């Protein structure tokens, strides 16, 4: 079944996640009409090769033209024509971006499908789901709506106050214009009495309005402190988890809606206070409540506006290299990287362009010896509404690049006490502007970064990024690895499963994770609360092996991505199986039954073990020497399984692999993955590489 058909069969909650993937960058209409063609292309490879991306863009546009010519529905023809134009405008100069957008969308689809198929969720994902409960969002919507309604009612109250004051002012001026000789008349006394009643009523209404404004301001303050700020912190935590492969990141548009509505209420309240200030220029008196209370209320409103807008300045997309889109927060010197910041408050017109400046390593811990870097490219850009489809101010830095300072003041810079991949850095963003007379300084920062100078440091850097974002929600704890905390196996196993679902499309099941836990910690790993140290995870070698646990696992991930992806996603590989479990699975199976597992002794190796009946009638298990990337680059693994032969005691070579565990006929599992290439040169016949083992 195609991936798109699997998506359409998901529950509504998963379809909502899919909907979030598609926007003007890659409309869902394309995904629908060209689903089979899109899934048949290698977008992951195109995302890293511009020539291939250019060809695929041209082919995509041709496919759309063909679909347009065949389409009978007028509206659909119109949509396809517009989509074609948009794609040409957006990606003609930068086809790599299109390939990366589509590659990411397809990968996220696979992750959503995998999530839907896994019943049990880990502690990290459960905590995230609890934090965004529907009732909590509903309560927030209602509370924001009530505040907006109260503020709008105050508009009417202020307008009534203006009318009442105009009436008082008119009567007062009329009395003043009368002849002094008439002031002692009975009619004049009645008018003065009436004027005093109006003034008393005016004073009462002023106090009443100011009291209501004070209540609204307190309600907004409480909303920001008790709900809006926590929701923002929860979103940032979800962003951290998403960076290391966790659930799809959603909710920013909802946050923007809350921030914007709250800001609009504050701006409207400030305008109401300004109007009250204008009123006392016409009429004031001793103990005037406006003169006494307005300055304090105005300061509170200005403070809340300043705080709200500062809080709304966020990093929408954490720094990432287009060459490694699945591993954000790792930056290689000399390689361009991208990041995006966004203001969640939709502002009225600002006084001037809002310029954002990037600053590297602004807040390093004092006294720390560290490597130093500077940004080679332009560090300042202007925020623009047009860069976002939802009307917010945002700016994307697409071509940032770092260079290391080898010498400072003529002295060679030494590395710090931590390894390169444990040394954390930060990227900050600053802006200044004035709105409605309020000067606001904006600042936000990325999550901690790992800076590498060689691709060989990438696995270690990614281990650091995973460990940090798994265990802390601190935005810039750059001293984290001076004393890294331990992780529970429940947390770590969940993140490891995310790596497989993110990079390969299929996560790990309970049995596979159990084997990994036992390999890392021994039999005690059956408990989710069992603690794992940072050193045990990626610094210490596995007993008896020249490599660490994480290095072993990372090599397997690379092997799957490059050589085993189709059969891995078809669930043909058991993968993580201890030798004891392997024996228990196969000992009672009929001869020719085999399973595929990853080698525990070779980095990035896969082997198969099959059942052979000995002369005595007992089941004997035989394993082939592990296949690594060098051998799999020459011959597809499915073909190896199809053509594998064993020579024993001079007998005719035969394929010992008959049934994939538990009892599935081999060809039934692997036929669609066989790679058959017939010779096209007459009169030659095709030839085949045959993998052979000699069994003594």
């Amino acid at each position: 079944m195609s991936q798109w058909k699997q998506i359409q069969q998901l529950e509504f909650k998963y379809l909502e996640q899919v909907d979030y993937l598609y926007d003007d960058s890659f409309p869902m209409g394309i995904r629908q009409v060209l689903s089979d063609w899109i899934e048949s292309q290698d977008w992951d490879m195109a995302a890293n090769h511009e020539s291939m991306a250019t060809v695929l863009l041209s082919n995509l546009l041709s496919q759309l033209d063909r679909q347009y010519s065949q389409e009978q529905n007028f509206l659909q023809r119109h949509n396809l024509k517009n989509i074609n134009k948009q794609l040409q405008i957006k990606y003609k100069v930068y086809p790599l971006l299109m390939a990366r957008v589509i590659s990411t969308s397809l990968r996220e689809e696979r992750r959503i499908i995998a999530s839907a198929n896994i019943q049990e969720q880990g502690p990290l994902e459960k905590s995230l789901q609890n934090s965004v409960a529907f009732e909590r969002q509903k309560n927030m919507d209602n509370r924001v709506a009530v505040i907006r309604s109260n503020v709008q009612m105050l508009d009417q109250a202020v307008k009534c106050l203006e009318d009442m004051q105009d009436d008082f002012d008119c009567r007062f001026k009329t009395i003043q214009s009368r002849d002094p000789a008439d002031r002692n008349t009975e009619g004049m006394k009645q008018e003065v009495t009436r004027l005093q009643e109006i003034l008393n009523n005016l004073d009462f209404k002023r106090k009443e309005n100011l009291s209501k404004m004070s209540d609204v301001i307190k309600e907004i303050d409480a909303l920001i402190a008790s709900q809006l700020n926590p929701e923002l912190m929860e979103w940032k935590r979800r962003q951290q988890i998403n960076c290391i492969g966790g659930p799809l990141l959603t909710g920013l548009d909802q946050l923007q809606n809350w921030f914007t509505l709250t800001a609009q209420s504050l701006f409207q309240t400030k305008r109401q206070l300004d109007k009250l200030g204008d009123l006392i220029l016409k009429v004031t008196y001793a103990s005037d409540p406006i003169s006494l209370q307005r300055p304090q209320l105005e300061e509170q409103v200005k403070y809340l506006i300043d705080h709200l807008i500062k809080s709304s300045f966020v990093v929408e997309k954490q720094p990432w290299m287009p060459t490694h889109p699945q591993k954000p927060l790792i930056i290689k010197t000399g390689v361009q990287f991208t990041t995006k910041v966004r203001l969640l408050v939709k502002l009225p017109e600002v006084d001037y362009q809002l310029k954002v400046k990037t600053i590297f390593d602004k807040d390093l811990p004092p006294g720390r010896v560290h490597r130093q870097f500077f940004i080679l490219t332009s560090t300042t850009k202007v925020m623009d509404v047009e860069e976002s489809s939802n009307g917010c101010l945002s700016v994307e830095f697409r071509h940032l690049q770092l260079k290391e300072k080898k010498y400072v003041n003529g002295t060679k810079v030494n590395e710090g006490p931590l390894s390169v991949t444990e040394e954390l850095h930060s990227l900050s963003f600053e802006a200044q502007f004035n709105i409605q007379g309020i000067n606001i300084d904006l600042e936000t920062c990325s999550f901690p970064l790992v800076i590498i100078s060689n691709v060989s440091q990438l696995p270690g850097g990614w281990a650091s990024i995973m460990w940090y974002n798994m265990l802390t929600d601190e935005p810039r704890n750059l001293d984290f690895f001076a004393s890294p905390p331990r992780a529970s196996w429940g947390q770590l196993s969940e993140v490891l499963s995310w790596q497989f679902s993110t990079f390969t499309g299929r996560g790990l099941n309970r049995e596979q994770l159990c084997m990994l836990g036992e390999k890392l910690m021994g039999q005690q790993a059956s408990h989710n609360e069992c603690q794992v140290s940072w050193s045990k995870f990626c610094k210490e070698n596995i007993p008896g092996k020249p490599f660490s646990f994480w290095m072993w696992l990372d090599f397997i991930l690379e092997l799957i991505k490059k050589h085993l992806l189709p059969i891995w996603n078809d669930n043909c590989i058991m993968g993580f199986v201890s030798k004891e479990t392997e024996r228990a699975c196969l000992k009672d199976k009929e001869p020719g039954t085999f399973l595929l597992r990853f080698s525990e002794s070779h980095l990035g190796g896969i082997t198969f073990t099959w059942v052979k009946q000995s002369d005595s009638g007992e089941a004997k298990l035989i394993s082939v020497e592990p296949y690594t990337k060098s051998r799999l680059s020459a011959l597809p693994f499915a073909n190896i399984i199809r053509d594998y032969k064993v020579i024993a005691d001079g007998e005719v070579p035969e394929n010992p692999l008959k049934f994939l565990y538990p009892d599935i006929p081999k060809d039934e599992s692997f036929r669609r993955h066989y790679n058959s290439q017939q010779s096209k040169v007459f009169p030659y016949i095709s030839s085949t590489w045959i993998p052979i083992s000699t069994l003594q």
Side-chain angles (χ1 to χ4, degrees), residues 149-165 201-202 204-213 216 268 272 275-276 279 290:
S149 176
N150 289 340
V151 171
Q152 288 165 358
M153 289 172 64
L154 275 171
D155 260 0
Q156 295 299 318
V158 171
K159 180 66 172 62
C160 290
L161 192 60
E162 288 178 312
D163 293 342
M164 185 182 297
Q165 182 162 308
N201 196 26
L202 187 66
F204 174 80
K205 287 296 182 182
R206 284 185 173 186
K207 290 177 180 178
E208 183 181 58
N209 283 358
L210 286 166
S211 176
K212 289 180 179 179
M213 285 184 186
V216 166
Q268 196 168 351
Q272 292 165 358
K275 286 184 179 180
L276 293 184
L279 291 181
I290 296 179

Side-chain angles (χ1 to χ4, degrees), residues 41-167:
Q41 311 304 311
D42 192 345
W43 297 102
D44 291 338
M45 181 174 290
N48 295 305
H49 295 85
E50 187 163 6
S51 58
M52 185 176 178
T54 303
V55 171
L56 283 182
L57 173 59
S58 176
N59 292 344
L60 177 63
L61 296 175
S62 298
Q63 291 285 335
L64 281 175
D65 284 336
R66 186 177 297 111
Q67 191 72 28
Y68 173 81
S69 63
Q70 297 172 355
E71 182 59 54
Q72 300 298 317
N73 184 283
F74 174 76
L75 181 59
Q76 184 70 355
R77 282 171 62 88
H78 173 78
N79 291 338
L80 289 173
K81 185 177 180 180
N82 284 341
I83 288 173
N84 196 315
K85 288 181 180 178
Q86 291 171 10
L87 293 180
Q88 291 188 56
I89 294 171
K90 193 173 185 67
Y91 297 123
K92 188 174 183 180
V93 180
Y94 195 33
L96 272 176
L97 179 59
M98 180 206 69
R100 287 163 188 161
V101 167
I102 298 178
S103 171
T104 300
S105 298
L106 293 176
R107 185 180 66 250
E108 285 299 324
E109 282 184 8
R110 292 193 296 269
R111 192 201 61 76
I112 293 168
I113 292 171
S115 297
N117 292 333
I118 296 175
Q119 300 297 321
E120 188 171 342
Q121 297 166 329
L124 290 172
E125 188 164 356
K126 283 181 179 178
S127 67
L128 295 181
Q129 287 192 343
N130 290 337
S131 70
V132 291
F134 175 75
E135 287 300 322
R136 188 169 167 181
Q137 292 189 9
K138 185 177 178 181
N139 176 265
M140 186 75 171
D141 287 334
N142 291 338
R143 198 168 174 186
V144 169
V146 168
I147 290 174
R148 290 291 298 143
S149 176
N150 289 340
V151 171
Q152 288 165 358
M153 289 172 64
L154 275 171
D155 260 0
Q156 295 299 318
V158 171
K159 180 66 172 62
C160 290
L161 192 60
E162 288 178 312
D163 293 342
M164 185 182 297
Q165 182 162 308
D166 288 342
D167 180 40

Side-chain angles (χ1 to χ4, degrees), residues 143-393:
R143 198 168 174 186
V144 169
V146 168
I147 290 174
R148 290 291 298 143
S149 176
N150 289 340
V151 171
Q152 288 165 358
M153 289 172 64
L154 275 171
D155 260 0
Q156 295 299 318
V158 171
K159 180 66 172 62
C160 290
L161 192 60
E162 288 178 312
D163 293 342
M164 185 182 297
Q165 182 162 308
D166 288 342
D167 180 40
F168 172 85
D169 192 46
C170 180
R171 289 175 180 269
F172 181 75
K173 289 178 179 178
T174 299
I175 291 177
Q176 280 189 319
S177 65
R178 299 282 291 272
D179 190 320
D182 297 334
R183 290 181 180 177
N184 291 324
T185 64
E186 190 64 28
M188 178 65 73
K189 290 180 181 179
Q190 290 178 356
E191 287 187 29
V192 170
T193 301
R194 175 61 181 155
L195 192 64
Q196 184 62 51
E197 291 175 353
I198 294 175
L199 181 60
N200 292 341
N201 196 26
L202 187 66
D203 180 66
F204 174 80
K205 287 296 182 182
R206 284 185 173 186
K207 290 177 180 178
E208 183 181 58
N209 283 358
L210 286 166
S211 176
K212 289 180 179 179
M213 285 184 186
S214 178
D215 290 341
V216 166
I217 293 169
K218 288 177 183 177
E219 180 62 23
I220 294 175
D221 190 5
L223 173 76
I224 293 173
S226 66
Q227 286 186 274
L228 199 53
N229 283 345
E231 287 290 345
L232 179 61
M233 293 302 104
E234 291 289 352
W235 178 85
K236 290 181 177 180
R237 181 58 180 155
R238 295 198 299 276
Q239 188 182 41
Q240 277 188 282
I241 296 303
N242 174 256
C243 282
I244 56 175
L248 186 68
L249 182 62
T250 59
L252 195 59
D253 289 340
Q254 178 65 72
L255 266 177
Q256 177 177 290
N257 183 53
W258 291 333
F259 266 91
T260 298
L261 291 175
T262 304
Q264 288 172 352
S265 295
L266 285 169
F267 287 131
Q268 196 168 351
T269 302
K270 184 178 181 303
R271 288 193 296 270
Q272 292 165 358
L273 288 169
D274 290 340
K275 286 184 179 180
L276 293 184
D278 293 338
L279 291 181
I280 63 174
L281 295 178
K282 297 179 180 179
V283 176
T284 188
Y285 44 87
S287 301
D288 187 343
I290 296 179
S291 299
L292 296 175
Q293 299 177 39
R294 178 179 167 275
Q296 182 182 358
L297 295 179
E298 189 173 38
E299 285 303 311
Q300 290 176 0
V301 169
K302 287 181 178 180
Y303 169 80
L304 291 175
I305 290 174
D306 179 77
H307 173 75
L308 188 72
I309 294 179
K310 284 180 176 178
S311 300
S312 77
F313 191 46
V314 300
V315 180
E316 180 179 355
K317 294 181 181 177
Q318 294 293 328
W320 59 281
M321 296 186 294
T323 53
H324 295 84
Q326 296 161 317
K327 293 183 176 179
L329 303 173
I330 300 179
I331 307 301
K332 183 179 179 295
T333 53
V335 174
Q336 290 185 352
F337 64 96
T338 297
T339 187
K340 183 179 180 181
V341 292
R342 174 171 166 180
L343 203 63
L344 298 180
V345 173
K346 291 184 182 180
L347 294 172
E349 292 184 7
V350 292
D351 294 344
Y352 51 85
Q353 288 183 325
L354 191 53
K355 295 181 179 179
V356 178
K357 182 179 181 181
T358 59
I359 305 171
F360 194 76
D361 273 352
K362 177 185 177 183
D363 300 311
L364 284 178
R368 173 179 136 184
V369 180
H370 55 83
R371 296 175 300 153
Q372 295 185 19
F373 302 87
F374 62 93
I375 301 175
L376 279 174
T377 45
S378 174
T379 59
T380 303
K381 290 190 73 174
V382 176
M383 297 190 88
D384 194 346
V385 173
E386 295 178 1
E387 286 200 26
S388 175
S389 60
N390 55 22
C392 69
L393 282 171

Side-chain angles (χ1 to χ4, degrees), residues 418 422 424 467 471 474 477-486 534-535:
L418 300 173
E422 292 175 323
L424 300 177
W467 204 261
L471 294 178
E474 295 181 64
N477 181 5
L478 303 184
D479 267 343
F480 178 83
F481 284 101
S483 180
R486 291 172 174 262
W534 165 246
S535 180

Side-chain angles (χ1 to χ4, degrees), residues 107 110-111 114 244-245 326 462 466 493-509 512-513 516 549-550 552-561 565 568-569 575-576 598:
R107 185 180 66 250
R110 292 193 296 269
R111 192 201 61 76
I244 56 175
Q326 296 161 317
W462 185 238
M466 285 193 298
S493 62
E494 184 178 17
V495 173
L496 294 181
S497 183
W498 288 344
Q499 303 315 298
F500 281 81
S501 67
T502 298
F503 288 94
T504 71
R506 184 168 70 86
L508 303 179
N509 59 36
Q512 291 168 326
L513 289 171
L516 289 180
F549 174 84
W550 170 244
W552 171 73
L553 202 60
D554 187 68
F555 267 72
I556 290 173
L557 273 167
E558 285 295 312
L559 188 74
I560 295 174
K561 281 195 299 180
L565 196 57
W568 169 261
N569 284 326
F576 300 104
F598 299 117

